[in-house]
């Protein structure tokens, strides 16, 4: 395998690789943003279910969370993708591959976010709830006005970790042959017998996460207006 | 007129009977101080009065309207109305950390009582001025001293226009100098004939401000009366022992 081509060829070669990978970047970004779009709010619902005083619901949600956290995401993607056919003999269309990725990722990340939210909600001091009670806020007012903003501040570091993991996890979509950036990188590497595309892919994840960390840090700074 | 009548109140936590048989009246304009050793049930009594805890038995009547009779609570709607007749100031302030001082004071009157925003804000400004915090309206709680935070908490309670104010050791989290700030505010409120029930360990303060002093021990009111009687000439052994301990 050739690590570096001759110097004169290096730049055009790199450019060609980048252009090829660019074809997969859209898919990677798509998985990333759509997963956040669905999993962040879904996680809140899951957290409510987990904290519900209605025992059957909270037990069911607890089971869901423990399954999601106790099995590999790759396996979950396979189940979401092949499940409809093997379990219910439903023929899925080709677009379903994409839906399966988003459904699998969203269900997985919602479970993790739910546990983060729960910890963040429970970290809001009891005195805050009592002050709300005395002032006569309704439960909804209490949640959105008082608990939620404090929860957001509490959970930002944990959410940052999760989002950084998500950037890297997007590559798992290969498990059901959904072509994202890393799949392309592997294909190019194999076809051209060079490891360069993998380096470029690695650099992409690194820069992506650098941006994520920067954005999350500035949100954390924004939330520093109170303590 | 009686603003609060408590009759034969009982409250247990699991097997622990914390309030055994408490009866207590608070008349309009009265300042009632509750003294007693730690663990005697003072906070629990105040929390039952504030409806943060549910009583097991007895009655509570607010401004002539029964909220609990023989341990049975009235409907949510009736309680909601009754709850607006009092407010509670906590030992640990419990201000909302993400709201400015002004928002802490005005949010509930606007969004719970649905009062006019302009009016509430100008009331809030007046209250802050009265508390000596006129320049702190845009501060966040963490930027204030404990004494300032407690004054904001008092202003927050007052802006709900309650008929009665309950205080649970309002100065216990504060240094002595800051304690004096709060006691001064309470004194002013007493002079304005605000009806107050105050749990405190500040004996001299209780003597000077109160119309009635209650001494609690072991979930019971063991002595009750004018401050001069209860504090200077206690008839009960436990009151005597407690006051003696505080003097040392
Ligand atoms: N939520 C609770 N659960 C169980 N026990 C409690 C609870 N709150 C208070 N107690 C107990 O009730 C007793 C009275 O407590 P409290 O009313 O806080 O006393 P005080 O305010 O006079 O110090 C104590 O023995 C305390 O441990
Ligand atoms: Mg107490």
């Amino acid at each position: 395998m050739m690590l570096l081509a001759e110097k004169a060829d290096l730049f055009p070669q790199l450019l060609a690789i980048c252009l090829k990978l660019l074809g997969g970047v859209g898919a990677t970004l798509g998985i990333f943003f759509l997963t956040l779009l669905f999993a962040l709010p879904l996680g809140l619902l899951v957290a409510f279910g987990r904290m519900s005083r209605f025992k059957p619901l909270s037990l069911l949600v607890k089971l869901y969370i423990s399954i999601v956290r106790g099995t590999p995401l790759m396996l979950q993607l396979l189940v979401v993708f092949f499940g409809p056919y093997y379990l219910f003999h439903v023929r899925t269309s080709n677009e379903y591959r994409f839906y399966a990725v988003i459904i699998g990722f969203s269900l997985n990340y919602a479970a993790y976010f739910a546990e983060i939210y729960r910890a963040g909600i429970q970290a809001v001091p009891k005195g805050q709830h009592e002050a709300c009670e005395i002032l006569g806020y309704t439960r909804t007012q209490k949640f959105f006005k008082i608990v939620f903003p404090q929860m957001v501040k509490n959970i930002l570091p944990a959410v940052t970790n999760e989002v950084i993991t998500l950037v890297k996890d997007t590559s798992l979509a290969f498990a059901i042959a959904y072509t994202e950036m890393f799949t392309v990188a592997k294909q190019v590497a194999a076809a051209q017998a060079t490891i360069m595309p993998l380096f470029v892919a690695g650099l992409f994840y690194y820069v992506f996460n650098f941006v994520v960390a920067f954005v999350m840090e500035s949100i954390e700074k924004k939330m520093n207006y109170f303590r | 007129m009686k603003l609060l009548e408590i009759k034969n109140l009982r409250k247990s936590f699991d097997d622990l009977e914390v309030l055994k048989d408490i009866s207590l009246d608070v008349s309009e304009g009265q300042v009632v101080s509750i003294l007693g050793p730690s663990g005697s049930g003072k906070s629990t009594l105040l929390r039952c009065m504030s409806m943060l805890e549910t009583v097991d038995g007895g009655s509570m009547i607010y401004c002539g309207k029964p909220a609990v009779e023989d341990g049975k609570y009235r409907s949510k709607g009736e309680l909601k109305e009754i709850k607006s007749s009092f407010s509670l100031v906590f030992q640990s302030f419990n201000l909302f950390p993400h709201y400015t001082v002004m928002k802490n004071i005005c949010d509930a009157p606007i969004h719970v009582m649905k009062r006019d925003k302009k009016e509430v804000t100008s009331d809030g400004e007046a209250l802050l001025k009265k508390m000596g915090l006129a320049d702190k309206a845009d501060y966040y709680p963490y930027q204030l001293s404990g004494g300032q935070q407690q004054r904001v908490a008092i202003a927050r309670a007052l802006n709900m226009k309650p008929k009665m104010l309950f205080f649970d050791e309002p100065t216990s989290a504060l240094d002595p100098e800051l304690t004096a700030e709060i006691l001064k505010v309470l004194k002013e409120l007493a002079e304005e004939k605000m009806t107050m029930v105050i749990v405190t360990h500040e004996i001299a303060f209780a003597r000077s401000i109160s119309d009635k002093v209650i001494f609690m021990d072991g979930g019971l009111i063991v002595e009750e009366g004018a401050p001069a009687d209860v504090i200077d000439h206690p008839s009960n052994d436990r009151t005597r022992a407690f006051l003696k301990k505080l003097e040392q």
Side-chain angles (χ1 to χ4, degrees):
Chain A
M1 228 204 268
M2 186 169 47
L3 179 56
L4 287 177
E6 283 173 30
K7 246 194 172 152
D9 294 344
L10 188 60
F11 185 71
Q13 197 192 342
L14 256 178
L15 195 69
I17 290 171
C18 286
L19 283 176
K20 283 209 175 92
L21 295 196
L22 214 54
V25 166
T28 296
L29 292 177
I31 299 171
F32 177 80
F33 284 111
L34 287 173
T35 300
L36 286 186
L37 180 71
F38 294 119
L40 283 172
L42 186 61
L44 199 54
L45 291 182
V46 176
F48 284 148
R50 176 74 178 76
M51 292 185 294
S52 166
R53 269 170 287 182
F54 182 58
K55 266 274 143 39
L57 177 63
S58 82
L59 283 177
L60 197 72
V61 172
K62 204 171 163 182
L63 180 69
Y64 154 65
I65 293 174
S66 97
I67 289 173
V68 165
R69 297 211 297 182
T71 60
L73 171 55
M74 199 189 290
L75 185 149
Q76 294 161 19
L77 289 173
L78 290 169
V79 168
V80 174
F81 184 56
F82 292 113
Y85 181 71
Y86 287 110
L87 295 175
F88 310 110
H89 299 283
V90 180
R91 284 225 162 268
T92 48
S93 66
N94 199 40
E95 289 98 78
Y96 182 64
R97 200 179 293 280
F98 169 68
Y99 294 135
V101 169
I102 300 305
I103 292 170
F105 269 85
S106 298
L107 289 178
N108 179 282
Y109 272 81
Y112 283 94
F113 285 137
E115 286 298 275
I116 293 174
Y117 291 149
R118 186 167 70 97
I121 289 171
Q122 285 171 350
V124 174
K126 199 170 146 235
Q128 295 288 303
H129 294 269
E130 293 183 347
C132 289
E133 178 79 12
I134 291 292
L135 290 169
Y137 286 121
T138 63
R139 281 172 67 99
T140 321
Q141 282 177 322
K142 179 176 83 176
F143 182 75
F144 287 105
K145 283 171 167 291
I146 308 302
V147 175
F148 187 77
Q150 295 185 57
M151 175 202 82
V152 169
K153 187 180 170 77
N154 291 340
I155 65 174
L156 279 175
V159 168
T160 303
N161 276 337
E162 218 48 59
V163 175
I164 283 174
T165 306
L166 172 60
V167 169
K168 295 175 285 184
D169 272 357
T170 53
S171 61
L172 289 175
F174 86 90
I176 54 175
Y178 181 71
T179 312
E180 38 58 67
M181 197 261 314
F182 194 62
T183 310
V184 178
K186 281 188 295 185
Q187 286 164 355
V188 176
Q192 303 185 354
T194 159
I195 203 166
M196 193 93 79
L198 299 185
F199 280 128
V200 176
L203 189 67
F204 168 80
Y205 288 119
Y206 186 78
V207 171
F208 193 169
N209 269 329
F210 197 84
V211 174
V212 166
F214 177 80
V215 170
M216 292 306 289
E217 212 171 287
S218 47
I219 297 177
E220 271 183 56
K221 274 208 190 105
K222 268 225 171 83
M223 294 302 287
N224 268 346
Y225 70 92
F226 73 91
R227 256 174 239 165
Chain B
M1 187 183 136
K2 281 178 187 164
L3 290 193
L4 177 62
E5 297 171 70
I6 295 178
K7 286 178 204 148
N8 310 108
L9 191 75
R10 285 186 296 107
K11 168 72 184 172
S12 301
F13 291 112
D14 300 319
D15 288 340
L16 181 69
E17 201 176 17
V18 176
L19 299 178
K20 289 173 182 155
D21 180 22
I22 301 279
S23 297
L24 162 70
D25 287 348
V26 182
S27 301
E28 194 167 7
Q30 243 186 356
V31 176
V32 178
S33 292
I34 303 179
L35 309 178
S38 149
S40 57
K42 306 179 301 294
S43 295
T44 306
L45 173 58
L46 222 53
R47 292 168 59 82
C48 287
M49 283 159 50
S50 310
M51 298 190 199
L52 289 176
E53 302 282 358
T54 320
V55 307
D56 299 323
S59 308
M60 296 198 291
I61 300 159
Y62 298 75
C63 311
K65 285 185 207 120
V68 193
E69 285 166 305
D70 286 326
K72 284 189 78 154
Y73 280 83
R74 287 296 177 95
S75 73
K76 264 195 164 170
E78 281 172 278
L79 291 182
K80 198 178 167 194
E81 154 121 35
I82 288 170
K83 282 179 184 177
S84 68
S85 67
F86 61 80
S87 193
L88 171 68
V89 174
F90 301 88
Q91 180 177 339
S92 50
F93 330 134
N94 296 340
L95 294 176
F96 301 130
H98 57 303
Y99 281 180
T100 61
V101 164
M102 198 51 153
K103 192 154 187 199
N104 262 287
I105 295 179
C106 295
D107 194 73
I110 294 168
H111 294 106
V112 174
M113 300 169 78
K114 314 281 182 203
R115 283 173 50 205
D116 177 60
K117 193 174 169 178
K118 262 201 189 126
E119 201 180 292
V120 170
T121 312
S122 79
D123 285 356
E125 280 163 1
L127 277 170
L128 284 184
K129 203 168 158 201
K130 184 172 163 185
M131 297 288 155
L133 296 169
D135 54 337
K136 300 284 192 260
D138 298 324
Y139 282 49
Y140 285 90
Y142 81 91
Q143 297 169 308
L144 304 178
S145 74
Q148 291 170 331
Q149 290 191 43
Q150 190 60 300
R151 279 182 278 158
V152 174
I154 295 171
R156 178 173 74 176
L158 287 172
N159 215 15
M160 296 296 284
K161 300 198 183 296
K163 294 197 172 74
M164 285 177 277
L165 265 185
F166 306 149
F167 294 84
D168 191 4
E169 301 196 27
T171 62
S172 290
L174 303 176
D175 298 335
E177 319 106 77
L178 303 182
T179 295
E181 291 177 6
I182 301 303
L183 298 185
K184 193 171 146 251
V185 169
L186 295 185
K187 192 143 216 171
E188 279 168 22
L189 290 175
E191 276 156 15
E192 292 164 19
K193 290 289 161 211
M194 181 77 208
T195 310
M196 297 189 281
V197 180
I198 308 171
V199 172
T200 182
H201 292 299
E202 306 285 334
I203 304 292
F205 167 74
R207 186 201 279 115
S208 75
I209 194 181
S210 314
D211 299 295
K212 180 157 78 178
V213 171
I214 283 168
F215 181 78
M216 275 181 76
D217 195 22
L220 289 165
I221 293 180
V222 296
E223 194 151 350
E224 170 175 5
D229 296 333
V230 176
I231 294 174
D232 299 332
H233 308 287
S235 56
N236 184 284
D237 287 343
R238 282 186 284 187
T239 318
R240 258 182 243 148
F242 174 73
L243 291 171
K244 200 156 188 186
K245 229 181 187 169
L246 279 189
E247 274 168 28
Q248 284 159 3

